[in-house]
Amino acid sequence: MGDVLAGFHAAWEFDSDSVLIRFERGIRTPKLFQALGERRIPHEALAAVTLTPGKRGTVVLHAVPRPGADPLMAAAAGQLKDSSDPYRLVLPAERETLAEYYADELRPLLGPASDAEDFLVAAPEGPLHFKAYDGKASFDGRTVSYRWFWTGASSAKWKAGDQRFAVGDLADVEWRSPEVFDGHLRLLRHAPAAAQPAQADQDPAAVVFGLGYGPVHESLPFAAAVLAAVRTSVPSSDRARRRPARRDPADIADRIRHLGELHQAGLLTDTEFTSKKAELLAEL
């Protein structure tokens, strides 16, 4: 067992080749942390370590993962709030010197800043399931299943019927946080029989989120587990070739206009609007 640095909601144990993050359980601990339980992060999966002032007499030790090293962060695609980021350890300000010591010890051991070719952090273990607004999503490690709810599913989904997707038929996973507009989980296939509908509520390969449906602590680990299984099924040399096509520019433009309406209505901050707009433009 290595040295342990305990903070609010989590403790980091420093081993010779990795950092073991153990999350606390309690009513104040973010539900995502409770769902994750603990995570072992190999040194090679990290690109940097920072220590910055926090809020109300705290400091924040932040281990920055390499792009593509962690399926959870890859699925999140920058949508997690700071309070739900599993790589941030919040500590009382009086532990700043101790935190800086561990940061200095860790920095020479980190991996390169370049993208990781394969996932280096283990994905959440299955089987997994959660309730979306229009159906129940299940994953057994090999197949993703959707069972539609008559109270929420669109007529297009009812017409298509309940769905099953083998991991080998999938190219990617798209997760949009339920904490923002248009939250959904969409499965992107290598070669769909027809173009996938732009709107998730019309796409039988997607489930949509709503108030109390598809919460982050249930839907994000699910998306990460599916994404890891998809990547494992496709050799790294073939991923670029089999990557799904870019989204329709007209759909992107419509979603940006909708973002602008939410921003003008005061439902999105300037920072949220700018961030989400950049994410949409990146899909072109």
Side-chain angles (χ1 to χ4, degrees):
M1 178 181 296
D3 293 348
V4 176
L5 180 62
F8 298 109
H9 310 314
W12 290 12
E13 181 179 325
F14 299 90
D15 291 330
S16 60
D17 60 352
S18 60
V19 178
L20 177 63
I21 303 176
R22 301 182 188 274
F23 299 104
E24 295 179 353
R25 294 187 178 276
I27 58 175
R28 295 187 178 182
T29 301
K31 290 184 178 180
L32 178 60
F33 294 178
Q34 297 186 50
L36 294 174
E38 67 177 40
R39 311 191 78 214
R40 185 171 292 280
I41 315 298
H43 293 156
E44 62 178 329
L46 299 175
V49 178
T50 65
L51 183 65
T52 57
K55 298 179 180 179
R56 296 185 294 275
T58 64
V59 292
V60 179
L61 184 62
H62 185 201
V64 182
R66 292 171 59 190
D70 183 350
L72 187 83
M73 304 308 286
Q79 299 173 79
L80 284 179
K81 296 179 179 179
D82 283 350
S83 59
S84 296
D85 185 342
Y87 285 87
R88 297 174 80 252
L89 180 65
V90 181
L91 302 138
E94 56 265 27
R95 296 187 187 175
E96 180 177 3
T97 301
L98 185 59
E100 185 62 56
Y101 165 79
Y102 284 114
D104 288 341
E105 290 290 304
L106 191 55
R107 287 182 180 116
L109 307 175
L110 304 182
S114 59
D115 292 7
E117 293 185 2
D118 297 293
F119 288 136
L120 302 172
V121 182
E125 296 183 356
L128 298 168
H129 58 83
F130 71 91
K131 288 183 179 180
Y133 175 74
D134 54 358
K136 180 179 180 180
S138 303
F139 179 53
D140 63 5
R142 299 179 301 276
T143 304
V144 179
S145 302
Y146 292 159
R147 179 170 60 83
W148 306 122
F149 297 153
W150 69 270
T151 53
S154 64
S155 58
K157 291 183 177 180
W158 272 114
K159 183 177 180 180
D162 293 345
Q163 300 290 301
R164 290 175 60 85
F165 303 88
V167 164
D169 295 333
L170 301 178
D172 209 344
V173 176
E174 177 185 271
W175 181 80
R176 291 291 178 265
S177 173
E179 297 177 343
V180 298
F181 83 103
D182 195 24
H184 63 263
L185 172 68
R186 189 196 302 264
L187 305 176
L188 303 178
R189 289 160 287 184
H190 294 304
Q196 293 186 240
Q199 298 300 319
D201 64 342
Q202 302 298 314
D203 187 354
V207 289
V208 299
F209 306 145
L211 184 62
Y213 293 93
V216 171
H217 70 281
E218 294 180 356
S219 61
L220 180 56
F222 184 103
V226 176
L227 179 60
V230 169
R231 295 281 179 87
T232 300
S233 70
V234 180
S236 57
S237 59
D238 293 344
R239 287 176 194 152
R241 179 173 56 84
R242 299 178 70 174
R243 188 173 295 125
R246 294 281 185 175
R247 301 293 296 275
D248 183 355
D251 172 48
I252 297 297
D254 286 342
R255 294 176 67 184
I256 290 176
R257 279 194 291 271
H258 182 51
L259 266 182
E261 293 171 359
L262 294 174
H263 182 229
Q264 291 180 357
L267 299 176
L268 289 177
T269 65
D270 292 345
T271 300
E272 290 171 333
F273 172 71
T274 301
S275 175
K276 298 303 175 186
K277 181 180 178 180
E279 289 177 12
L280 291 172
L281 291 174
E283 297 183 21
L284 290 173

